[in-house]
Amino acid sequence: MGDFWTVRPLQPGEEEAACALVRRVFDVFVAPEYEPEGVQAFYRYADPERLRERLANGHDVLLAFVGDALVGVLEMRGGHHISLLFVDAMFQGRGIARALMDAAIALGRERVPGLRVISVNASPNSALIYERLGFRATAPRQQRDGMVFIPMEREIE
C-alpha cells in the first residue's frame, strides 16, 4: 500500500493513546464474541493505569506509527507471551502486525536467551491472523472470565 511505518517501545505518557486504540479495535472485532463479563474484564486489562503497572513489572509494549499516527500496539509478557496485539482497522492487512511481531520476537530474544517458543491466547477472530504469523493452536477454544480464546504457539528458529 506504500505505507511507511515505524515500530518503537512505548514512551511514558503514551499509555492512554495505546489503550484507546486497543479498546477501539477490540470493540469492533472482539467484543461481539464476548459475554458482557468478558468485555468488562478486557476493559480492566486495557486500562492505562494497569498498563503502567505491567510495564513496571517487566511487560514490554511496542507501538507502530504511520507518520505521527499510532496504528498498532503489541504487549508482551516475560519476553515470550503476547498479551495484546491490535492494529487500527484502517491499517490492517498492510504488514503492521507482522512488523510488531518481528520486533517483539527480537526483543524476546534479548529478554530470554535461547527463546524457542512465543505464545498467545488469540481471540477467535484473530486466530487466522496469528496462523499467518506462524502460530499454531495448542488447545481448543476456551473461555475464562467471559473472554473466549484459542491458546496458540509459534516456534522461534
Side-chain angles (χ1 to χ4, degrees), residues 85 92 97-98 125-135:
L85 176 54
Q92 291 178 2
R98 183 173 300 279
N125 70 299
S126 69
L128 185 60
I129 295 154
Y130 280 107
E131 284 179 10
R132 289 187 193 134
L133 293 171
F135 286 78

Side-chain angles (χ1 to χ4, degrees), residues 73-137:
V73 176
L74 182 148
E75 180 179 350
M76 182 170 55
R77 180 178 76 234
H80 63 83
H81 181 80
I82 305 302
S83 49
L84 294 173
L85 176 54
F86 288 87
V87 174
D88 185 281
M90 290 178 26
F91 292 91
Q92 291 178 2
R94 301 183 189 193
I96 293 169
R98 183 173 300 279
L100 282 162
M101 187 64 65
D102 290 347
I105 289 169
L107 190 57
R109 284 186 169 130
E110 289 177 26
R111 301 267 188 266
V112 183
L115 180 68
R116 290 278 167 252
V117 174
I118 197 162
S119 61
V120 67
N121 289 331
S123 61
N125 70 299
S126 69
L128 185 60
I129 295 154
Y130 280 107
E131 284 179 10
R132 289 187 193 134
L133 293 171
F135 286 78
R136 293 288 165 257

Side-chain angles (χ1 to χ4, degrees), residues 22-23 26 34 38-46 84 86 147:
V22 165
R23 287 192 301 261
F26 170 86
Y34 279 16
V39 172
Q40 292 310 309
F42 184 85
Y43 279 175
R44 284 190 300 275
Y45 189 85
L84 294 173
F86 288 87
M147 295 187 283

